Amino acid sequence: MSQAQWESLCDGCARCCLNKLEDWDTGEIHWTEVACHLLDDSTCRCADYPNRSVRVPDCVPLTPKNVTELTWLPPTCGYKLVADGRDLYWWHPLVSGDPDTVHYAGISVRGRTISEDDVTVEDYEDHLVDWPGEDPADLIELAERGKATALKKTGG
């Protein structure tokens, strides 16, 4: 897979750009609404993608090798789905043909984050959130919503 093909697996949700808390005892990941200071909340894109690893030393570039090992990627992540041999969801731009469907589906963090510049690490626990698709039951609902959307578009 070329670098461009690999990059196209990103659905633009920006959930990988959120700060997460990990329970040391269970390994469970707890999501926050606190985003990397480079995240543009309105576009769900990095403000300095080419230099992100220099400007944010703990930014983890996603690779075909590490996506299977990273426990904090959302279950809806296109990189993770493909690495696991699963299909992309209906909202993924490669499936829908529209980069905005990830936002319409409510999967992205667009408009729902605060910058890490405005929150101390000690206060991250005050900013815990649940994101769609974290619970397997959510994925069924999201898949059904996609079918309903597809039926409306086709007149079915």
Side-chain angles (χ1 to χ4, degrees), residues 132-147:
E134 292 306 309
D135 180 329
D138 289 346
L139 295 177
I140 294 169
E141 178 185 326
L142 290 168
E144 291 302 316
R145 190 181 325 162
K147 288 178 187 171

Side-chain angles (χ1 to χ4, degrees), residues 4 17 99 116 118 143 150:
C17 300
E116 64 189 0
D118 300 328

